[in-house]
Amino acid sequence: MKIVVPVKQVAALDDEFELLDDGSGVDPDFLEFDLNEWDAFSLEVALQLREASDDGSEVVAVTVGDEESEEALLSCLAKGADRAVRVSDDDLATDDPLTVARVLAAAVERESADLVLCGVQSSDAVNGATGVALAGYLDLPHVAVVKALEHENGSVVVDRELEGGLVERLRIGLPALLTIQTGINQPRYANLRAIKQAREKPLDVVEAGELGLDQDALAAAAGSRRRGLSPPDRGEGAEMMSGGVDEMAARIAEIVRERMSG
Amino acid sequence: MSGVLVVAEARRGELRDVSLELISAALSVKDQAGGRVAVAVIDQQPDRFVDQLAVDGVDEVLLVPTPTEHFEAHVAGRALTELIAAESPSLVLLGFTIDSLGFAPAVAAKQGLGFASDAISLGWDGGPIVARGAYGDKLVSELEFPGKETTVVLLRAGGFEPAQAGGAAPATRTVELSLDGVAKTEHLGFQEAESADVDITKSEFLLSIGRGVEDKDNIPRFEELAEKLGATLSSSRPLVDAGWMPSARQVGQSGKTVKPRVYLALGISGAVQHLAGMRTAETIIAVNTDPEAPIFGVATYGAVADMFELADELEQQF
Ligand SMILES: Cc1cc2nc3c(=O)[nH]c(=O)nc-3n(C[C@H](O)[C@H](O)[C@H](O)COP(=O)(O)OP(=O)(O)OC[C@H]3O[C@@H](n4cnc5c(N)ncnc54)[C@H](O)[C@@H]3O)c2cc1C
Ligand SMILES: Nc1ncnc2c1ncn2[C@@H]1O[C@H](COP(=O)(O)O)[C@@H](O)[C@H]1O
C-alpha cells in the first residue's frame, strides 16, 4: 500500500511580532516554525498502517513550501517516512487552500497512492479545507475529521467525529483521502540517530512548473486573494486587569464572589 | 450570476442552529448581491424543515431530496454542484461545520469557485469580501474573490444573530436531482458521546485549563484549586487528547457547550473550536501569558499572567 501524507510547516507569531510596512504580511523574523500538530497524527496513522502490513508499504511525505519547510519533511523522515517531496513555492500563494491543493494534486497524482492522509487543519491558517479540496481535484472519495480508523483489505472503516462528541462510523473503499483528527493516536518522537539518518533519505524538490502547472493554471485555481492583513478589532474585548499577580488574583476573587452570589 | 444561496444543515431529523445564522448573514448582503436569497435543504425529507425556515426576506426554499438517510459527503457535493449550476448564485453560504468541511472544499476546487473558510465577517464590494483569522487568529486577513462568478464561504458560528423564523410560509420548490449511486461511503451507525459521572454543563462555575498547564503532573494542583474555589474543573481538547483529562470535561465544538455564570480560563489560547463551547458563558475571565491570545477577544475580563503564579495567589483568596 502506498500512503501519501501532505504535511505543512506552520508559522506561529512571536509575542512581539511586527507587520511588514506594506501590510502584506508578517516580518519573517518574528515567526517560529514547526510541523503542523495535526500532521504528526496523520503521519503516525500512515506509519502504523505500514508497520501492520507485510506488503512493503511506502509512506511518502509531501509539502508545498519554501526551503525552510524542509524541516517539516525532515521531521517526518526522522519519524519513519520512506521519502519526501517538496514542491517549491517562490510565487505561490500558500495562504490560499485551493492553490495549495491544486499543487498537491499535481504532486500526489504522480504517486498513485492508495491512501492520502491530510491533517484536519493547519494551526496557523485554520482552513480545514486543503485535504478535501485535494480530494476534489483528484476525484478521490473522502472523509473529513477522522478520529479512528481500521484497514480491512481494500477498504477502511473510519469514525468521523461530529460536533458535541457524536461519532459516525463509515466504510469507504480505497483509494481514498482522509483528514485526520488529533487524539487518534500518540505520535512518536524520533530519536537522535533517526534524526541524523533522515538527511540520508530521499527528499525530492520539484518546481510547480515541472508538474505542468504554469502561472495561469495556478491563478485560475486560486480561491481568493488577500487584500490586507491587520490586527483584530477586539471590539468590546476584555477589560484587562492591571497591577501585580496578587492584585489580579484579588480582582478575580472579587468578580467570582460577586457573580456567584445572587 | 446573482443572489445568495444558503445551504441549511440538518442532522438526524433536526435543523442545526447555524442555518438561521447563515440566513441572517445572507440577508445582510441581499441587496448588494442582486436581491435574492434562496435556502437549500439537502436531506432525505427536506420538507420537514420548511416551517423553521420561514424567515421574512427568504425568497425561496429549495427542497433537495436525497436517497441517503444521513448526510453523505459525495451526495451533498453532487447536490451542491448541480444547485450552483442551475441557480447561478454569486455567493453560497454554509456553516464552518464538520459536515461542510466534508464536501464544500471539494466542490469549490473542482468547479473553480471562489472559496474561504472560517469567515468571521461578510461584506460586499463589487463582490463578496470576507474577513478571517491568520496566524492562529492573532491577525485578521481580508479576502476578495476577483474573477469568480460564484464564491463559497464557510461562516463561523456566533457572528450573526440567528434569524427569527415565524414569518409567512416561504415559497418552496422541489429540485429532483439524480443522486442514486453517488454515495461513496456506507453509514454503519452513530455512537453517542460517552456518559460520565460529571456533567460540566450543569456547573455554574468552571475553572478551565489548557495546554499552558504543560504537564500531566501539574493537573492535581488545579483540581485542588477548583475544589477550593467551589468550581468544577474542565479543559481544552489537547489535555483530553493526551489522556490527561477525561473527555467528559472537554469544552468546545467536539466536547461540551457550557454556559456557566463564570468561566475562568487558564492557559487556553481561544481557538475557534474552543470558543464554540464557551462563548456564551455569562462572565469569562481569561488568564494567559500572551497578550495577543485570541481568547481576550471574547473574554469579559483578561489578565496577562502566568497561570501557576496566579493559581498560588488565587488560593490565598479563598
Ligand atoms: C474539528 C475540531 C474540533 C475541535 N474541538 C475542540 C474542542 O472541543 N475543544 C477544544 O478546546 N479544542 C478543540 N479543537 C482544537 C483547537 O483547534 C485547539 O487546538 C485547542 O483548543 C487548543 O487548546 P489550548 O488553547 O489549550 O492550547 P494552545 O492553543 O496551545 O494554547 C495554550 C495557551 O496557553 C498559554 N500559556 C502557555 N503557558 C502559560 C502559562 N504558564 N500561563 C498562562 N498561559 C500560558 C499560551 O500563551 C497559549 O495561548 C478542535 C479542533 C478541530 C479541528
Ligand atoms: N503547504 C502545504 N503543504 C502540504 N500540505 C498542506 C499544506 N497546507 C495544508 N496542507 C495539508 O492540509 C491540511 C489542512 O490544512 P488547512 O486546510 O490549511 O487547514 C494540513 O494538515 C496538511 O495535511
Side-chain angles (χ1 to χ4, degrees):
Chain A
M1 184 155 70
K2 187 160 181 181
I3 309 174
V4 173
V5 188
V7 299
K8 180 179 182 186
Q9 178 82 332
V10 291
L13 291 182
D14 266 357
D15 280 1
E16 290 171 10
F17 65 90
E18 284 172 20
L19 291 177
L20 295 173
D21 291 340
D22 64 358
S24 64
V26 175
D27 185 334
D29 287 349
F30 299 94
L31 293 174
E32 288 166 29
F33 296 96
D34 207 349
L35 173 66
N36 179 32
E37 184 180 351
W38 276 264
D39 301 344
F41 291 91
S42 52
L43 177 73
E44 182 64 33
V45 170
L47 296 175
Q48 288 185 12
L49 285 171
R50 187 190 62 193
E51 284 156 8
S53 80
D54 41 21
D55 61 356
S57 290
E58 187 182 29
V59 174
V60 185
V62 183
T63 198
V64 179
D66 56 17
E67 208 173 331
E68 297 237 21
S69 67
E70 284 185 16
E71 285 301 319
L73 294 178
L74 285 169
S75 132
C76 294
L77 292 170
K79 290 176 188 204
D82 297 290
R83 58 189 178 81
V85 179
R86 174 170 75 87
V87 187
S88 70
D89 87 327
D90 284 350
D91 299 312
L92 289 176
T94 42
D95 51 352
D96 176 58
L98 296 197
T99 304
V100 173
R102 182 69 194 85
V103 176
L104 282 172
V108 173
E109 206 148 36
R110 305 196 305 177
E111 302 285 347
S112 23
D114 300 292
L115 198 54
V116 182
L117 301 176
C118 283
V120 169
Q121 71 180 26
S122 56
S123 58
D124 52 355
V126 192
N127 292 306
T130 307
V132 171
L134 171 59
Y137 284 124
L138 295 172
D139 254 323
L140 273 181
H142 49 275
V143 178
V145 196
V146 169
K147 65 168 288 186
L149 151 164
E150 224 161 303
H151 179 215
E152 296 175 352
N153 45 59
S155 71
V156 280
V157 173
V158 300
D159 283 353
R160 183 170 82 102
E161 177 188 285
L162 303 173
E163 286 86 354
L166 184 69
V167 167
E168 184 189 17
R169 184 158 293 178
L170 300 165
R171 184 191 306 279
I172 184 168
L174 299 181
L177 180 145
L178 309 175
T179 75
I180 300 295
Q181 176 63 312
T182 58
I184 189 172
N185 52 36
Q186 299 285 345
R188 69 193 65 187
Y189 292 97
N191 63 33
L192 260 162
R193 199 167 59 109
I195 291 171
K196 276 194 200 134
Q197 285 171 346
R199 299 205 171 263
E200 312 296 314
K201 290 186 174 177
L203 193 167
D204 284 345
V205 180
V206 288
E207 297 282 335
E210 293 172 58
L211 298 171
L213 292 171
D214 57 21
Q215 289 305 319
D216 289 348
L218 291 170
S224 66
R225 187 164 72 194
R226 180 184 278 175
R227 291 181 150 200
L229 195 65
S230 53
D233 169 15
R234 292 267 191 243
E236 293 176 11
E239 178 187 323
M240 300 305 283
M241 297 176 190
S242 52
V245 182
D246 51 342
E247 291 161 83
M248 291 175 179
R251 180 87 178 95
I252 291 173
E254 186 188 354
I255 296 165
V256 167
R257 289 206 172 92
E258 183 198 310
R259 298 298 148 101
M260 295 308 295
S261 67
Chain B
M1 300 288 159
S2 79
V4 186
L5 176 68
V6 169
V7 182
E9 186 167 319
R11 175 170 299 150
R12 298 209 283 178
E14 284 189 28
L15 190 72
R16 301 198 66 234
D17 293 343
V18 68
S19 310
L20 289 162
E21 285 190 41
L22 296 173
I23 292 175
S24 287
L27 294 175
S28 76
V29 295
K30 177 176 174 174
D31 291 341
Q32 292 129 301
R36 192 182 137 77
V37 169
V39 179
V41 185
I42 304 168
D43 188 77
Q44 194 177 36
Q45 299 168 46
D47 52 333
R48 58 185 157 177
F49 307 116
V50 171
D51 289 349
Q52 287 165 269
L53 296 170
V55 175
D56 289 334
V58 170
D59 298 291
E60 200 173 22
V61 176
L62 306 176
L63 305 172
V64 187
T66 60
T68 37
E69 183 183 358
H70 299 291
F71 167 84
E72 205 284 332
H74 309 81
V75 169
R78 171 72 67 84
L80 179 58
T81 303
E82 295 199 15
L83 280 173
I84 290 171
E87 307 293 321
S88 315
S90 14
L91 176 64
V92 179
L93 287 179
L94 299 97
F96 181 60
T97 61
I98 304 291
D99 281 1
S100 299
L101 291 184
F103 75 103
V107 173
K110 209 169 164 190
Q111 306 301 320
L113 311 178
F115 178 79
S117 83
D118 194 22
I120 53 179
S121 74
L122 176 67
W124 205 271
D125 181 8
I129 47 172
V130 308
R132 71 181 310 279
Y135 299 99
D137 281 330
K138 287 193 182 179
L139 292 173
V140 173
S141 173
E142 193 180 56
L143 301 180
E144 59 188 359
F145 309 93
K148 298 294 182 182
E149 303 208 308
T150 298
T151 294
V152 174
V153 172
L154 311 189
L155 204 65
R156 177 187 295 201
F160 285 85
E161 277 299 314
Q164 290 296 322
T172 59
R173 174 158 51 103
T174 300
V175 182
E176 295 285 352
L177 302 174
S178 52
L179 299 172
D180 286 324
V182 171
K184 295 273 179 3
T185 63
E186 180 194 350
H187 172 84
L188 301 175
F190 285 110
Q191 213 178 309
E192 309 292 333
E194 292 159 32
S195 61
D197 53 344
V198 56
D199 183 355
I200 60 169
T201 66
K202 296 269 158 57
S203 173
E204 291 291 1
F205 181 13
L206 288 173
L207 172 68
S208 208
I209 52 177
R211 189 138 51 186
V213 76
E214 274 176 8
D215 199 286
K216 185 178 193 213
D217 296 340
N218 294 330
I219 291 194
R221 150 125 228 249
F222 291 92
E223 278 168 354
E224 284 157 29
L225 180 65
E227 197 168 331
K228 195 140 187 208
L229 267 58
T232 305
L233 191 68
S234 58
S235 82
S236 66
R237 177 174 179 131
L239 278 55
V240 175
D241 284 341
W244 301 352
M245 289 285 290
S247 62
R249 293 189 188 252
Q250 180 188 320
V251 173
Q253 185 196 68
S254 52
K256 298 283 192 299
T257 300
V258 299
K259 208 183 165 185
R261 286 200 207 175
V262 178
Y263 189 81
L264 174 55
L266 307 181
I268 294 177
S269 63
V272 47
Q273 294 96 355
H274 188 78
L275 301 185
M278 44 64 78
R279 197 191 314 106
T280 58
E282 283 175 31
T283 299
I284 299 168
I285 309 171
V287 178
N288 198 303
T289 41
D290 177 3
E292 314 286 342
I295 191 140
F296 291 129
V298 300
T300 334
Y301 299 96
V304 176
D306 179 280
M307 64 190 279
F308 297 97
E309 288 175 24
L310 190 108
D312 284 342
E313 293 291 341
L314 202 52
E315 220 161 31
Q316 312 287 317
Q317 300 282 338
F318 284 81

